Amino acid sequence: MIYNVSGLLSGKPGESRQHEIENERLTFGHGGQGQKRSSFTQISGPVRMMKTDRTVLVTADIEAVTHASCSRCLEPATVNVSVALEEEFIPKNADLMGGRKDRSQDEDGFYDPALFIDEQNFLDLREVLGQALTGATQIAPLCKDDCLGICPVCTVNRNEIQCTCAQNSIDPRWEALAGLMVEGAESSG
Ligand SMILES: [Zn+2]
Ligand SMILES: [Zn+2]
């Protein structure tokens, strides 16, 4: 996921290159200070790079797989993630851009450091892709769409053990009381 774009940068605006990510893996985030560390596997998809007048426009449709805990039953869950990337990368090496002073020198602070092409003309997609995949990962992943979760009463995993708590969760005495309360509200109103 690191590409040498020297050839592209020395070409004309509008020139493009097509790459393919095939079954790669990426671990994103350092895991410290509350930051989540995410691992993605089976990263695949087309990556297109086009030279604009001052940047390299990267568009990519990426699919990946990550592993998380199911938000209902807490068992390991395999989660599919897909992202459509569209980012402009800015070359630090101004010489290849016709000797012009490039934007990274003018407005350094305005750009994400992940979006710079380094002095050796390597475009590193990992940080941007990691950010995108992490952002696209569901907040509450499920091991399966119809996961039954953990029983709040007896705490068994209801995918594995069919407990009887659910049927008994509404106590008939409370049901009767609820009915009385509705009646009371109606008569007073
Ligand atoms: Zn589950
Ligand atoms: Zn139960």
Side-chain angles (χ1 to χ4, degrees), residues 97-166:
M97 300 299 276
R100 242 181 330 191
K101 196 171 178 241
D102 68 87
R103 279 202 288 188
S104 67
Q105 289 162 306
D106 295 339
E107 308 161 43
D108 223 339
F110 291 88
Y111 290 94
D112 187 334
L115 294 175
F116 284 119
I117 299 166
D118 74 10
E119 287 85 350
Q120 283 74 45
N121 302 317
F122 283 105
L123 189 159
D124 187 345
L125 209 55
R126 293 174 303 177
E127 180 78 13
V128 167
L129 187 58
Q131 284 175 11
L133 288 170
T134 303
T137 304
Q138 294 161 284
I139 294 164
L142 297 177
C143 60
K144 53 183 179 181
D145 286 342
D146 57 350
C147 172
L148 298 171
I150 288 173
C151 173
V153 180
C154 71
T155 70
V156 301
N157 182 343
R158 290 193 290 201
N159 300 306
E160 291 164 7
I161 300 166
Q162 201 178 1
C163 67
T164 53
C165 304

Side-chain angles (χ1 to χ4, degrees), residues 62-73:
I62 304 297
E63 295 194 339
V65 168
T66 188
H67 297 276
S69 294
C70 173
S71 59
R72 287 188 197 155
C73 71

